[in-house]
Amino acid sequence: MKLPKDASEALSGHWLKWLLVAFIDIALLYVITLMYAQGETAFAMVILVLGSIGTWVFTSEKCYSFRYIYPSLLGVIMFVVFPLIYTVNIAFTNYSSTNLLTQDRVKQVHLQKTYTSGAEKFGFKLYQSGDNYQLQLINKNDKSQSFATDAFQFTDVTQTLTADLQQSEEQPEGQKLPLKKVIKLRNSLKAISVQTPEGNSLVMTSLREFGAMAPLYREGSDGELISNKDGSILKPDFEQGYYVDQNGETVSPGFTVYIGWDNFTRVLTDPGIQGPFLTIFIWTLVYAGLSVLFTLVVGLLLACLVQWEPLKESGIYRVFLILPYAVPAFISILIFRGLFNQNFGEINMVLNALFGIQPEWFTNEFLAKTMILIVNSWLGYPYMMILCMGLLKAIPEDLYEASAIDGANPLHNLRHITVPMIIKPLTPLLIASFAFNFNNFVMINLLTNGGPNLIDATTPAGATDILVSYTFRIAFGSTGQDFGLASAIAGLIFLLVGLIAWANMKATRSLQEH
Amino acid sequence: MAMVQPRNLKYRVWAARLFLIAFVCMIMFPFLMIISVSLRSGNFATGSLIPENISLEHWALALGFNWTSADGTIIEPTFPVLSWLWNSVKVSVVTSSLILLLSTTGAYAFARFRFRFKQGLLESMMVLQMFPAVLALVAFYTIFDKLGNFIPWLGLNTHGALVLSYLGGVTMNIWLIKGYFESIDNALEESAAIDGATPWQAFRHILLPLSVPILAVVFILSFIGVIGEYPVASVLLQDVDKLTLAVGSKQYLNPQNYLWGDFAAAAVLTGLPITVIFLTAQRYLVSGLTSGGVKG
């Protein structure tokens, strides 16, 4: 076995490697412990597993090849595989804007709730001198009794001040602030609690008053919460993900719990979701299919023309024809959104001048769908043209010679030579294009945002929504964000995409066999 | 050149030429229109394709200057277009560099080494690539929300999180680089190995300098891809100052605040450099796209 020329250098490099691995592992272990301690078991596990595999790969001689692959695999596992698995996991929970927190956090929220307990009420005055403030509290029932706090400054965090009994004629330093300024400071004032000499804790109860506050709930046995106000009992309900009182009423906020297949059954049986889901699913297929068809037809036609030898200046056309592909899609789609605008859009102006019509591109269902297909064909044909140009070059010239001798016209050539020659290598690419359009979220979200809206839907759904944009609106729309339901639909889309991917693999394999 | 020519060739050439010119005009209409709109004054102005009165109002606003209109009121720029552009460029450059770093070594191993699971790994990465990130947006949102509790600069509303979320997109690049590595004869590396070079040294000192062109192509490809990425960025970023171009541009065409003219100037200003980069690199990109696709 040959030794590297500079053995000592190699040795020190080895030593450095171990140090680096040890350092990274210690840092990771710290993060893992931290995450585990805060209850993020899933994250801690993922990092633990990936970290250990990484350590093994980079220290064992057996895995030499994997040292090169591991970094890229890490990217794929952490940012493709893990999010996919995590989505499926969320699909089985009721995670939504109403059930956002863990049960532990919700319990804390309830325990932090307070209510005005005592009858004692204090009017307050706020004095300012420079950066320092002072509060004066005057008992409403006994005006002669008043307290003043020490000088303090407003901070963002909650602070507790102590107040001392005042002599009647004593006044705090500085300027008394008018109500307008007090209103401006109200959020900072709310964070303040004042401790009186008797041991009462006072907080701001209204813009003019401080009053005694007590926590609304205390912890009972069995995870129950007992109200200090009226003695009623809240019990956590792990079926619904809410605390429930004796009458069975839920108390917000809710917490996240696993609810089994509920989200999936909702998609398949709830008429307010199932109806729009089917409509949207069919439109998604139509949209993706027609997009592929139109771009292919236009692209193939243009590719044939541009590659046609008698046309000498075709290079110029080629640059212009590729332009829609070169401009970033988010810009072109938004340009079209403006051009198609019903009142100010340039397209309607042209149509109005020529035919006297002003189509409602965004409110009429059929026109909105037409518009989307027009824009998508405009955006997508250059890709097909580029692909077809490459494939057309590979067709032997003498085939066309022979057909010309037989007196065939261009249409015959297209049908009997060009299409049969390119369809086989094109199939996997067409499937990939179908898959791309199937999930072409940017197009729908930027152009119509799914509108016009469907009427009979309980979740936000539009006539031009495709499955992914529908999912997006359920999860991140302006009304009732339902992450669980969105993930369930995403899970169903996974199956469809998997199906398309499988078809693509088959088409590619059959191509490679030839 | 075909030997047999139909008699009416001349007419056919002219028909094709006219068709192509008409088609190009149709394709160019939106672009010309947007340039024209960016030079009109006001956001609701209408007019012909060639504007009669050229106003630089929207361009001044897009470049971040105040604009004094004819009646003396001062209009301030509504959106920080230039910082959006800077955000986009920053995120794209960092992401593309990291992706290049991750995929080059991977491609080397796939091209040159023999090891277990090689074919399986490649194929499963290819299948996974077909699941777009838009399907896992809820997961991304939650993951980075929680991650932000431990590492603040990787939480929601940070560019760090955005860069990280893009690192899964290495598969296509591995394919491209792998294809290029395979086209390079490995005689040089073998002779280096005989002289005692480790595989890493052969990779670092021989293969890498030979592969600069494909590395440039992959960099530009992923740069363009990241600049145009919309779904993940729209979920992860919230502050107006932190948005990328793709997310920010949409704000102009809000039905409540419709700024068509301002959008036009911003679109031309930011779209032009990206388009030029694409057209310059087009030849390499096209061959990369088609070869990668056909082999895929």
Side-chain angles (χ1 to χ4, degrees):
Chain A
M1 188 181 162
K2 278 179 184 246
L3 273 173
K5 277 176 194 165
D6 200 337
S8 68
E9 189 186 287
L11 208 65
S12 76
H14 205 69
W15 183 76
L16 207 69
K17 188 185 86 184
W18 279 101
L19 200 73
L20 196 70
V21 168
F23 179 74
I24 293 173
D25 279 354
I26 288 170
L28 284 180
L29 273 176
Y30 173 73
V31 174
I32 291 166
T33 324
L34 209 67
M35 286 182 165
Y36 186 75
Q38 294 207 7
E40 303 292 355
T41 327
F43 288 91
M45 282 302 289
V46 168
I47 297 181
L48 184 68
V49 169
L50 291 179
S52 340
I53 295 176
T55 311
W56 180 56
V57 163
F58 280 94
T59 49
S60 158
E61 286 299 324
K62 270 187 202 162
C63 317
Y64 186 79
S65 307
F66 285 96
R67 282 182 207 178
Y68 291 83
I69 299 168
Y70 190 71
S72 47
L73 274 187
L74 200 64
V76 173
I77 292 171
M78 287 214 302
F79 302 111
V80 180
V81 180
F82 181 58
L84 291 182
I85 296 171
Y86 203 79
T87 306
V88 174
N89 181 40
I90 294 173
F92 291 97
T93 69
N94 64 349
Y95 190 43
S96 62
S97 56
T98 52
N99 298 57
L100 207 55
L101 304 171
T102 58
Q103 194 244 332
D104 210 39
R105 288 280 301 280
V106 170
K107 192 167 91 185
Q108 296 306 323
V109 169
H110 284 309
L111 287 176
Q112 275 166 18
K113 282 183 183 169
T114 51
Y115 73 108
T116 24
S117 56
E120 278 195 329
K121 284 177 182 164
F122 295 83
F124 76 88
K125 291 171 182 168
L126 185 63
Y127 290 85
Q128 182 183 19
S129 112
D131 278 347
N132 288 327
Y133 293 85
Q134 256 184 300
L135 267 175
Q136 187 186 29
L137 302 170
I138 301 149
N139 195 331
K140 285 215 160 176
N141 303 331
D142 174 12
K143 296 268 180 186
S144 64
Q145 189 196 26
S146 78
F147 300 97
T149 63
D150 298 331
F152 64 96
Q153 286 170 341
F154 284 114
T155 53
D156 291 335
V157 290
T158 323
Q159 52 180 337
T160 310
L161 304 167
T162 48
D164 299 318
L165 198 62
Q166 267 187 317
Q167 302 308 318
S168 54
E169 63 275 10
E170 216 180 320
Q171 283 294 324
E173 272 174 53
Q175 197 82 39
K176 179 179 170 265
L177 292 181
L179 188 63
K180 216 168 106 185
K181 294 231 170 122
V182 173
I183 291 174
K184 264 192 186 161
L185 288 167
R186 68 180 185 282
N187 284 329
S188 314
L189 278 168
K190 271 183 189 158
I192 285 172
S193 72
V194 180
Q195 205 78 31
T196 61
E198 292 107 60
N200 283 332
S201 176
L202 307 176
V203 292
M204 192 168 87
T205 51
S206 77
L207 282 172
R208 290 166 194 278
E209 269 178 20
F210 266 61
M213 283 291 209
L216 182 54
Y217 295 108
R218 65 174 187 276
E219 242 177 299
S221 57
D222 249 10
E224 290 172 350
L225 295 176
I226 304 160
S227 169
N228 287 326
K229 201 173 171 184
D230 52 13
S232 64
I233 293 170
L234 293 187
K235 281 183 183 162
D237 182 342
F238 292 100
E239 301 272 300
Q240 296 186 64
Y242 277 104
Y243 274 92
V244 183
D245 66 15
Q246 281 133 321
N247 305 327
E249 298 282 325
T250 56
V251 182
S252 290
F255 47 89
T256 313
V257 287
Y258 284 95
I259 52 168
W261 293 90
D262 280 13
N263 285 323
F264 293 95
T265 39
R266 265 171 84 199
V267 176
L268 299 176
T269 56
D270 184 337
I273 300 172
Q274 180 217 35
F277 181 82
L278 279 181
T279 319
I280 289 169
F281 178 54
I282 292 166
W283 161 240
T284 310
L285 291 179
V286 170
Y287 160 76
L290 287 182
S291 292
V292 173
L293 184 70
F294 291 161
T295 51
L296 176 67
V297 169
V298 178
L300 181 60
L301 179 72
L302 289 171
C304 290
L305 281 178
V306 167
Q307 299 247 341
W308 194 32
E309 278 182 48
L311 209 63
K312 302 288 181 219
E313 75 283 18
S314 61
I316 307 164
Y317 302 131
R318 210 174 300 175
V319 175
F320 281 112
L321 289 174
I322 281 177
L323 217 55
Y325 193 50
V327 177
F330 70 91
I331 290 183
S332 340
I333 295 171
L334 286 172
I335 290 177
F336 274 106
R337 181 169 163 162
L339 290 178
F340 273 107
N341 188 299
Q342 207 207 324
N343 299 318
F344 322 111
E346 275 68 13
I347 287 178
N348 269 9
M349 261 165 227
V350 172
L351 289 178
N352 197 19
L354 291 179
F355 311 107
I357 48 167
Q358 280 197 312
E360 309 161 304
W361 295 108
F362 289 93
T363 42
N364 181 305
E365 187 182 321
F366 178 74
L367 286 175
K369 288 179 174 176
T370 315
M371 171 179 72
I372 285 180
L373 285 173
I374 293 172
V375 177
N376 209 21
S377 307
W378 186 93
L379 277 176
Y381 83 84
Y383 178 69
M384 288 295 179
M385 188 181 90
I386 292 167
L387 293 180
C388 291
M389 272 160 57
L391 294 171
L392 286 178
K393 270 187 197 151
I395 301 177
E397 194 77 357
D398 44 1
L399 285 177
Y400 292 105
E401 296 268 319
S403 82
I405 291 168
D406 288 347
N409 62 22
L411 220 61
H412 281 127
N413 281 345
L414 188 73
R415 261 189 64 197
H416 298 291
I417 303 174
T418 314
V419 173
M421 288 294 284
I422 64 170
I423 198 68
K424 198 94 198 245
L426 208 54
T427 309
L429 297 165
L430 291 181
I431 296 174
S433 167
F434 182 85
F436 172 80
N437 281 308
F438 192 88
N439 293 314
N440 195 346
F441 167 77
V442 183
M443 179 77 199
I444 304 295
N445 186 276
L446 289 184
L447 193 60
T448 64
N449 200 10
N453 277 337
L454 292 175
I455 309 151
D456 54 348
T458 48
T459 50
T464 58
D465 260 325
I466 55 173
L467 284 176
V468 277
S469 67
Y470 178 51
T471 317
F472 182 86
R473 283 173 75 181
I474 293 175
F476 301 102
S478 44
T479 50
Q481 310 182 330
D482 196 336
F483 296 126
L485 181 65
S487 301
I489 297 179
L492 294 176
I493 306 177
F494 290 165
L495 297 179
L496 296 170
V497 174
L499 208 68
I500 301 172
W502 174 77
N504 194 0
M505 287 276 275
K506 266 201 106 163
T508 316
R509 283 239 175 90
S510 84
L511 185 70
Q512 279 163 347
E513 276 158 20
H514 282 78
Chain B
M1 193 72 177
M3 307 283 272
V4 187
Q5 301 288 8
R7 221 164 293 158
N8 54 356
L9 182 74
K10 210 173 159 189
Y11 300 108
R12 282 198 198 167
V13 172
W14 270 104
R17 193 166 287 155
L18 283 177
F19 173 79
L20 277 174
I21 290 171
F23 195 87
V24 166
C25 287
M26 209 175 74
I27 292 305
M28 293 302 292
F29 169 74
F31 297 130
L32 299 177
M33 211 64 217
I34 206 76
I35 294 171
S36 159
V37 168
S38 79
L39 293 171
R40 292 173 189 166
S41 67
N43 278 311
F44 301 101
T46 56
S48 60
L49 191 58
I50 301 153
E52 292 94 25
N53 311 310
I54 289 181
S55 152
L56 292 178
E57 175 187 345
H58 304 303
W59 282 90
L61 291 177
L63 289 168
F65 298 108
N66 288 342
W67 176 261
T68 319
S69 62
D71 54 2
T73 51
I74 292 174
I75 308 170
E76 286 180 15
T78 326
F79 298 115
V81 183
L82 289 182
S83 50
W84 288 348
L85 183 61
W86 167 238
N87 289 344
S88 282
V89 170
K90 191 172 69 180
V91 169
S92 305
V93 167
V94 174
T95 308
S96 309
S97 315
L98 287 176
I99 279 189
L100 205 58
L101 215 65
L102 292 182
S103 42
T104 316
T105 54
Y108 174 60
F110 279 122
R112 289 289 192 257
F113 296 163
R114 286 157 175 272
F115 52 90
R116 280 173 76 190
F117 314 123
K118 180 169 151 179
Q119 203 54 33
L121 272 176
L122 268 174
E123 277 180 6
S124 45
M125 278 168 84
M126 233 30 213
V127 170
L128 282 171
Q129 191 75 358
M130 291 191 72
F131 292 86
V134 62
L135 290 176
L137 281 180
V138 173
F140 275 116
Y141 181 84
T142 320
I143 288 171
F144 286 107
D145 186 22
K146 289 186 175 170
L147 199 60
N149 296 336
F150 304 99
I151 312 166
W153 53 274
L154 290 180
L156 284 181
N157 207 6
T158 62
H159 292 150
L162 197 59
V163 169
L164 217 55
S165 71
Y166 291 151
L167 291 186
V170 290
T171 311
M172 211 58 219
N173 303 314
I174 289 185
W175 266 103
L176 287 176
I177 304 175
K178 172 178 164 278
Y180 192 87
F181 283 169
E182 279 166 350
S183 73
I184 297 175
D185 191 12
N186 67 352
L188 271 176
E189 293 154 61
E190 275 174 3
S191 61
I194 293 169
D195 287 346
T198 60
W200 173 256
Q201 285 167 329
F203 167 65
R204 170 73 188 75
H205 297 290
I206 296 169
L207 201 56
L208 218 49
L210 286 174
S211 326
V212 175
I214 189 69
L215 299 185
V217 167
V218 166
F219 186 88
I220 294 174
L221 256 185
S222 85
F223 181 87
I224 291 171
V226 172
I227 269 214
E229 203 283 340
Y230 171 75
V232 177
S234 79
V235 165
L236 292 188
L237 302 178
Q238 284 139 10
D239 289 354
V240 172
D241 290 341
K242 287 193 174 161
L243 298 185
T244 58
L245 261 182
V247 185
S249 306
K250 195 191 176 189
Q251 315 261 338
Y252 279 110
L253 299 185
N254 193 331
Q256 277 84 41
N257 187 18
Y258 192 75
L259 303 169
W260 183 219
D262 290 350
F263 166 75
V268 178
L269 177 75
T270 55
L272 210 59
I274 305 172
T275 310
V276 169
I277 293 176
F278 188 94
L279 286 179
T280 343
Q282 182 232 118
R283 208 174 333 149
Y284 310 103
L285 300 185
V286 166
S287 61
L289 276 176
T290 41
S291 66
V294 173
K295 277 179 192 163

